[in-house]
Amino acid sequence: MKNEKIIYACLEHAEIALDDYVNSEEVAPQILKIQDENHKCSYCEKNAEYKIMA
């Protein structure tokens, strides 16, 4: 079973995260709005607002 790639992103980096996901996985991802303060953006230290996954 392939490990599922998950990217967490703040509002500022959501578009970049989406592009990175599509470029690496070559499939359209699900984008979930989250309110969990335990996850930080994969690109900076802000709290993540989005979870991008298959």
Side-chain angles (χ1 to χ4, degrees), residues 32-50:
L32 305 173
K33 181 119 171 107
I34 60 172
Q35 295 179 343
D36 182 0
E37 294 186 10
N38 294 328
H39 294 288
K40 298 291 182 186
C41 176
S42 298
Y43 300 89
C44 68
E45 291 299 314
K46 293 180 183 175
N47 287 335
E49 294 183 42
Y50 299 97

Side-chain angles (χ1 to χ4, degrees), residues 9-44:
C10 65
L11 180 61
E12 180 181 348
H13 292 109
E15 188 173 339
I16 293 168
L18 198 65
D19 287 343
D20 286 350
Y21 188 94
V22 171
N23 288 339
S24 69
E25 301 298 309
E26 298 181 345
V27 295
Q30 287 185 348
I31 304 167
L32 305 173
K33 181 119 171 107
I34 60 172
Q35 295 179 343
D36 182 0
E37 294 186 10
N38 294 328
H39 294 288
K40 298 291 182 186
C41 176
S42 298
Y43 300 89
C44 68

